[in-house]
Amino acid sequence: MAANAAHPDLLVRTSEVPTLRPLSRLRELAAAREVLANLVRKEVRVRYKASVLGAGWSMLNPLLYLAVFTLVFQRFLGRGVPNFAVYLLSGLLAWQLFAGSLTAAARSVVDNASLVTKVYFPREILPLAAVGSTLVDFALHGVVLLLFILGTRHDVLGPGLALLPLSFAALLVLATALSLWVAALNVRYRDTQHLLGLVLLVWFWLTPVVYPSGHLYRSLAPHRLFGLPLFHVYLANPMAAVVAGFQRALYGTVYDPTTGAPLLFPVSVGWLAVLNASVLAGALVLLLLAWRTFFHLSGDFGEEL
C-alpha cells in the first residue's frame, strides 16, 4: 500500500490493479500454468517427503475409514448396508477431495509467505495448487475404490454412471470457490484455519457419507419446515447433492434387496442430474464472488504476511 500524493489519507493498492477483470486475469493465469504445475509437484513432494510408503499413505487413509466405520456401523450398531465398502468409499471419494482442498488451501498463502513477498505471480495459483495436489490424492483414492468394485464384482454399469462427470464438475468448482475464499481470509484472520476444521467436522456428519442417504430421506420426507418439505431444505447442503451423485454413479443400489428399504435417495437419475446441475450453477456464481474477494484482498498479502 502507498499514500497518494494529492490525498495523503488515501491508500492505493500497489501489487494488483484495483478491479478484477476476469478474462484478462484468466489469460494471466494461463501464462503462469508452468508455475502452477511446479507448485502442484512441490506440494505432492513435500507431503510424502522422507516417507517410506510415499503416496501409499494416501491410499491407506480411505482403508482406515473403511475399517473404523465398518466396525462401528455394521457390527456394533447393526446398520447393515450391502457391499458397505463400495458405498462408503464412493462417498468418501467426493468428501475427501472437498475437505482436503479446503484444508490445504487455507494455509496455501501463509505457508508460501516468502514467495508472495519476493516474487510477483497471480496469487490465485497458490490455492489452485492446493486443489491440484488434492486431485492427486483423489486419483489414488479412486484406485482403492476401483479395486473394491472389481474385487466384489459390484455392478456399476448402469444409467447412474452418467452422473459422475456432472457431480465431479460440481464438486471441483465448489471446492475451488471455497478454497479461494478460505485462503484469502486466513491471511488476514489466522483463526480461519482452526475454525475450518470444526466446520468441516460438522459438515461431514451432516452429509450422508457414512450413513445411508435413503434412511435420511425416510426420516425427513414426512416433515415440513415453514411449509417446505424438510428433505428439500436439507438439500441446501450442496455436498449432500454431490455425494448423492457419486453414490448413485459408483454404488447404484437404490433399494436394499433384502428389506426393500431405500439405501440411496429414492429419486430418478434425471432428478439427481438436475440437482447437481443446480449445484454446479450455484458454485460457478460462488466461484466468481470468491475470486473477486480473493483478488481484492490479495493486493495486501505482502503487508499482512
Side-chain angles (χ1 to χ4, degrees), residues 101-120:
S101 295
L102 268 63
T103 302
R107 292 198 55 84
S108 60
V109 179
V110 174
D111 286 348
N112 289 281
S114 59
L115 192 61
V116 172
T117 55
K118 292 178 183 177
V119 181
Y120 174 77

Side-chain angles (χ1 to χ4, degrees), residues 42-43 136 151 172 196 198 209 229 234 296 305:
K42 187 202 82 168
E43 291 288 335
V136 175
L172 189 59
L196 178 64
L198 297 177
V209 176
Y234 170 76
H296 177 72
L305 291 171

Side-chain angles (χ1 to χ4, degrees), residues 111-160:
D111 286 348
N112 289 281
S114 59
L115 192 61
V116 172
T117 55
K118 292 178 183 177
V119 181
Y120 174 77
F121 59 94
R123 307 309 189 205
E124 296 94 320
I125 283 180
L126 294 172
L128 289 177
V131 175
S133 66
T134 309
L135 280 170
V136 175
D137 288 338
F138 177 84
L140 294 173
H141 296 168
V143 170
V144 174
L145 173 58
L146 180 61
L147 290 175
F148 271 92
I149 290 174
L150 295 176
T152 59
R153 297 182 179 180
H154 188 73
D155 183 15
V156 297
L157 299 178

Side-chain angles (χ1 to χ4, degrees), residues 13 16-21 25 28 120 124 184 290-301:
R13 292 157 54 88
E16 294 289 2
V17 295
T19 305
L20 172 66
R21 296 180 175 85
R25 193 64 168 182
E28 192 173 352
Y120 174 77
E124 296 94 320
W291 189 11
R292 288 184 183 277
T293 299
F294 184 95
F295 184 82
H296 177 72
L297 295 176
S298 66
D300 301 332
F301 283 172

Side-chain angles (χ1 to χ4, degrees), residues 7 18 26 38 41 74 77 92 136 155 165 175-176 179-181 220 222 228 236 246 253 255 258 266 272 278 289:
H7 303 280
L26 282 173
N38 288 333
R41 284 192 288 268
Q74 299 287 91
L77 298 182
L92 277 177
V136 175
D155 183 15
T176 302
S179 292
L180 287 168
W181 189 57
L220 298 180
L228 295 173
F246 270 74
T253 305
Y255 294 96
T258 303
L272 277 177
S278 300
L289 296 175

Side-chain angles (χ1 to χ4, degrees), residues 223-260:
H223 305 288
R224 304 180 77 84
L225 180 66
F226 303 118
L228 295 173
L230 190 55
F231 174 67
H232 292 171
V233 175
Y234 170 76
L235 291 177
N237 172 8
M239 281 305 295
V242 169
V243 166
F246 270 74
Q247 290 169 339
R248 189 63 169 267
L250 298 171
Y251 179 67
T253 305
V254 181
Y255 294 96
D256 190 321
T258 303
T259 64

